[in-house]
Amino acid sequence: MITRRMLLAAATAVGISAVGGTAAPSSAQTMRRGSQDAPGAGVLTVNTDAAFAALNSAFLVSDGGQRYYKTSLNNAEKDYFWRQALDIQAAQDVHDSAPRAETRDLIGRLLETFLQQNRGSGGLYDWNWNEYNDDLLWAGLAFVRGYRITGNRTYLDQARYAFDRVYNRGWDGALGGGIWWDIRRRDKNALSNSPAVILGCLIYESNGDRGYLDKARAIFDWVWARLLDRATGGVYETMYADGSRSTGQSVYSAGAFVSAAQALYRNQGQGTLFDDARRTVDWVIRDRTVNGIMTNGQREGTWQSEFARGMGEFVRENSLWGQYYDFMKRNADAAWSARRTDLNLTWNRWDAQTPRDDTRAVEAIGAVIMQAVTPATRP
């Protein structure tokens, strides 16, 4: 099976000035939101509805009471576990930008179907068959966000299950801490750790259990010490069991780190966390764009999705529109302009027209998320 993890690609770097920042806010903007609050209410762009409608028209399958996203235009199989979780999170991003009953109901159907389609031998809520910790984390994030949108306690319980399962089988003292990528324990990487930070914070915000926040902070500290290039803000992909480190630094790993730093900053108010998030945002803008546009030819996974979400959270929650809005709007417009106009779908290359071929669902979600997090006009 080809996975995103096998397809790390270095983006072409074109030098543009890092966005100038302002001093970090003096205190945390703690957001202990209720399960049905809308963190991004009112930021819907003019193209969000069209982009989301296109995604659903092309990939959303309705089969009786089930709702799920298929793999690609020409492959009617359900999208695989981690990809399906990312697909669902795109729908959640759209809902968060402008909450509506129909998207809330769709998200509930998607999560119920996910449980049915991915149940293990232990029953409906068993994901132990999946050996990859990052897979469980992406699903856990979809479920905790589903709880916050629908108020369904079962989704919060499933998110806790995902975090606990990953932490218990993945965290140890080797390499100074951190969570192994899978049960074979050959490497610890950005995507088996930063999403765990986000998930732990969201569970804490949902149920007040301090243990999840404490574990999230310990995981973040390991990423900060072992994978973050503190001089630039780039995030290395992997640390191997022998202590060596890969050289790859992707936009999606940077995005997960930004979300992790902002989630902790939201709850702890430590100014260095704000600085960490901002440094990584600026690194992507400076070192992972082409003429100011995030773009990559990866076909089997995402590229900009996690960063669009992470940057959106960081900018929105800290009111940094003056520093970053122009970049966000430039990329939202570029993604829309690069769509294949027969279906209004955009791939991961936002500086080239999307080909009329077998577009994959997961490569099409980044453009949707970019629209959802970018207001039509500067706030």
Side-chain angles (χ1 to χ4, degrees):
M1 177 187 66
I2 298 175
T3 72
R4 179 176 63 183
R5 295 172 287 257
M6 300 176 184
L7 294 163
L8 302 178
T12 303
V14 172
I16 63 174
S17 298
V19 174
T22 59
S26 57
S27 62
Q29 297 183 341
T30 303
M31 300 172 67
R32 297 294 300 279
R33 297 183 289 235
S35 60
Q36 298 189 52
D37 287 352
V43 306
L44 188 72
T45 66
V46 293
N47 294 321
T48 305
D49 280 345
F52 188 50
L55 184 79
N56 289 338
S57 177
F59 302 112
L60 182 64
V61 176
S62 298
D63 182 8
Q66 293 194 336
R67 301 290 185 275
Y68 61 93
Y69 289 99
K70 65 180 185 178
T71 300
S72 70
L73 294 176
N74 298 333
N75 185 346
E77 291 294 320
K78 71 175 181 67
D79 221 353
Y80 182 68
F81 191 100
W82 65 267
R83 295 193 296 264
Q84 189 74 236
L86 296 183
D87 298 338
I88 294 171
Q89 288 199 65
Q92 292 168 336
D93 291 325
V94 171
H95 178 82
D96 285 348
S97 71
R100 298 171 181 172
E102 56 265 34
T103 52
R104 183 191 66 230
D105 294 345
L106 171 62
I107 288 163
R109 290 282 188 94
L110 289 167
L111 293 172
E112 293 295 332
T113 303
F114 188 97
L115 289 171
Q116 296 166 20
Q117 292 180 333
N118 293 286
R119 64 190 300 163
S121 60
L124 186 63
Y125 308 106
D126 172 30
W127 295 339
N128 197 47
W129 59 268
N130 192 319
E131 300 175 348
Y132 293 95
N133 288 321
D134 60 327
D135 286 17
L136 266 63
L137 293 171
W138 295 125
L141 284 167
F143 274 80
V144 73
R145 294 182 68 190
Y147 164 69
R148 291 153 74 92
I149 290 168
T150 69
N152 187 329
R153 185 80 186 189
T154 298
Y155 302 158
L156 177 59
D157 292 342
Q158 192 65 12
R160 290 177 56 243
Y161 162 83
F163 184 96
D164 294 345
R165 189 74 193 110
V166 165
Y167 189 86
N168 291 338
R169 77 182 186 185
W171 172 275
D172 65 15
L175 303 176
I179 294 172
W180 295 101
W181 174 36
D182 65 10
I183 63 173
R184 294 167 186 81
R185 299 194 167 197
R186 294 173 295 197
D187 55 274
K188 297 181 176 182
N189 63 38
L191 294 185
S192 61
N193 284 275
S194 290
V197 178
I198 308 164
L199 180 56
C201 288
L202 291 180
I203 293 172
Y204 166 68
E205 291 172 10
S206 298
N207 69 5
D209 188 335
R210 179 81 189 191
Y212 287 99
L213 182 63
D214 292 341
K215 289 175 181 176
R217 183 57 195 252
I219 298 165
F220 179 86
D221 288 345
W222 182 84
V223 175
W224 189 91
R226 303 288 177 161
L227 296 180
L228 177 67
D229 183 340
R230 296 187 294 278
T232 67
V235 180
Y236 294 103
E237 297 290 332
T238 302
M239 176 164 279
Y240 300 103
D242 63 4
S244 63
R245 194 171 57 190
S246 68
T247 58
Q249 296 179 338
S250 71
V251 168
Y252 51 74
S253 289
F257 178 81
V258 170
S259 283
Q262 175 59 24
L264 281 172
Y265 178 64
R266 188 168 64 237
N267 287 286
Q268 297 186 329
Q270 186 177 344
T272 57
L273 294 165
F274 176 94
D275 294 339
D276 289 332
R278 182 173 62 187
R279 187 187 307 112
T280 298
V281 168
D282 291 348
W283 172 80
V284 170
I285 295 172
R286 183 182 64 245
D287 291 345
R288 287 296 183 269
T289 61
V290 176
N291 296 324
I293 303 300
M294 296 181 290
T295 188
N296 186 271
Q298 188 159 295
R299 301 301 306 269
E300 295 291 342
T302 62
W303 184 252
Q304 304 95 330
S305 301
E306 289 73 28
F307 183 76
R309 179 181 302 118
M311 184 180 196
E313 292 165 351
F314 178 65
V315 172
R316 182 180 66 246
E317 294 178 15
N318 296 298
S319 299
L320 297 174
W321 301 109
Q323 289 90 335
Y324 295 105
Y325 177 77
D326 288 347
F327 173 80
M328 295 172 68
K329 186 65 162 59
R330 184 184 310 121
N331 277 267
D333 290 346
W336 185 247
S337 296
R339 74 193 187 280
R340 50 183 294 178
T341 55
D342 60 331
L343 298 175
N344 282 348
L345 301 173
T346 304
W347 62 342
N348 289 320
R349 285 203 63 184
W350 292 358
D351 64 345
Q353 216 64 36
T354 305
R356 298 194 177 194
D357 63 5
D358 188 25
T359 306
R360 288 76 160 164
V362 77
E363 70 175 324
I365 63 174
V368 177
I369 297 170
M370 195 72 235
Q371 305 302 324
V373 302
T374 307
T377 59
R378 188 197 305 267

